[in-house]
Amino acid sequence: MNAPLLSPQDGRTDGPDHVLIVDDDAEIRTLLATYLGRNGFKVSAVGDGRAMWRALEATRFDLVVLDLMLPGEDGLTLCRDLRARSDIPVVMLTARGEETDRIVGLEMGADDYLPKPFSARELLARIKVILRRARSLPANLQPDSARRLQFAGWVLDTQARQLESPEGVVVALSGAEYKLLRVLLAHPNRVLNRDQLLDLTQGREADPLDRAIDVQISRLRHRLGDDSRDPRVIKTVRGEGYVLAAPVTVLA
């Protein structure tokens, strides 16, 4: 599955938003396709990951509704691989409602997470919010004109979405890690709180007990070799948030 995917911006027209539903339950596919269709969306529906990739390689979609429990590759794996290749918004559906599962889904790059059973009306509302936010993203999350950004000896390639160490070693980033690092690089030496980071990276507000950003910061520090007990690159400002404590240079 290495063919380039069509992004929401490719060949964009003024027609209805096109949603791809990926769920192995035929009844749910039919219900959602009918409901979203009645509310102004163009809808395609498939039952597994293979069919999802075929659809994405053939057609431009504006959003994917992706079930977690699928035959073959599960939704988390599909979401991770999709996010590595495309910026298409993803809403994950799952019968699991535990906080850990939700955090993992968001870390894989999902834009929102809806546990089953859910109402089609709630899904519609979330889809509208995600699409609205995706089209009003701040400049730092629009397609990058700056291909390479250097900080603390590291280089982020915004086209390949790869991080290069000071020694020239390529370090893999998940979709969520890339988004978070890109936001921090757009605001060097500025403290950003959890609500701001969640809004800029995922287009949502933090729940009172939401620790998704803390987990992502910890993992990003690990990628950068930044000691969590005494970080030098991504610092914690107690009671306020996090700050990228390094100058950022545009290389190209």
Side-chain angles (χ1 to χ4, degrees):
M1 297 299 174
N2 294 319
L5 302 184
L6 298 175
S7 76
Q9 290 76 31
D10 293 332
R12 178 69 190 163
T13 68
D14 292 328
D17 290 310
H18 197 171
V19 174
L20 177 62
I21 298 169
V22 187
D23 197 304
D24 62 336
D25 189 319
E27 184 176 352
I28 289 179
R29 292 200 304 270
T30 300
L31 184 153
L32 293 181
T34 301
Y35 185 80
L36 294 176
R38 288 175 178 170
N39 283 275
F41 289 89
K42 181 178 179 180
V43 182
S44 298
V46 298
D48 58 33
R50 289 186 178 181
M52 181 192 84
W53 290 122
R54 288 195 297 269
L56 289 169
E57 288 164 1
T59 305
R60 179 192 62 78
F61 290 93
D62 296 284
L63 183 139
V64 176
V65 177
L66 178 61
D67 188 33
L68 176 63
M69 304 300 290
L70 291 169
E73 289 185 300
D74 64 27
L76 289 177
T77 301
L78 292 170
C79 183
R80 179 197 64 198
D81 294 344
L82 175 59
R83 186 52 68 239
R85 300 169 56 193
S86 172
D87 59 358
I88 297 172
V90 176
V91 178
M92 293 202 71
L93 304 178
T94 177
R96 301 175 181 175
E98 292 82 358
E99 182 183 22
T100 299
D101 294 309
R102 178 170 58 84
I103 290 175
V104 171
L106 294 172
E107 287 181 344
M108 289 298 180
D111 295 87
D112 207 346
Y113 186 104
L114 195 58
K116 296 178 180 178
F118 61 89
S119 72
R121 184 176 181 181
E122 180 179 4
L123 176 62
L124 174 65
R126 294 194 182 210
I127 287 174
K128 288 181 176 179
V129 168
I130 290 170
L131 289 175
R132 184 169 64 249
R133 283 176 168 165
R135 286 165 188 161
S136 61
L137 287 175
N140 62 286
L141 291 183
Q142 297 291 351
D144 278 297
S145 57
R147 179 181 172 87
R148 291 164 62 82
L149 299 170
Q150 186 177 54
F151 65 102
W154 294 80
V155 175
L156 180 69
D157 186 324
T158 64
Q159 302 300 310
R161 293 195 170 198
Q162 290 182 340
L163 182 64
E164 298 174 17
S165 74
E167 294 75 30
V169 177
V170 174
V171 177
L173 294 175
S174 70
E177 290 165 350
Y178 172 82
K179 282 185 177 181
L180 179 57
L181 179 57
R182 186 65 191 89
V183 167
L184 291 171
L185 290 176
H187 303 89
N189 300 304
R190 174 182 170 186
V191 179
L192 297 172
N193 61 37
R194 291 185 183 88
D195 286 334
Q196 291 170 320
L197 289 170
L198 275 171
D199 186 50
L200 288 169
T201 59
Q202 298 172 18
R204 67 184 183 88
E205 296 180 353
D207 296 328
L209 300 179
D210 197 329
R211 290 294 178 265
I213 286 296
D214 301 309
V215 173
Q216 290 170 19
I217 287 287
S218 177
R219 292 184 176 180
L220 191 52
R221 281 172 172 163
H222 179 72
R223 302 284 193 203
L224 296 170
D226 207 12
D227 187 349
S228 60
R229 294 168 296 183
D230 185 24
R232 300 294 182 182
V233 181
I234 303 175
K235 294 188 175 184
T236 301
V237 180
R238 189 174 298 277
E240 294 188 46
Y242 299 98
V243 59
L244 182 82
V248 177
T249 303
V250 178
L251 299 180

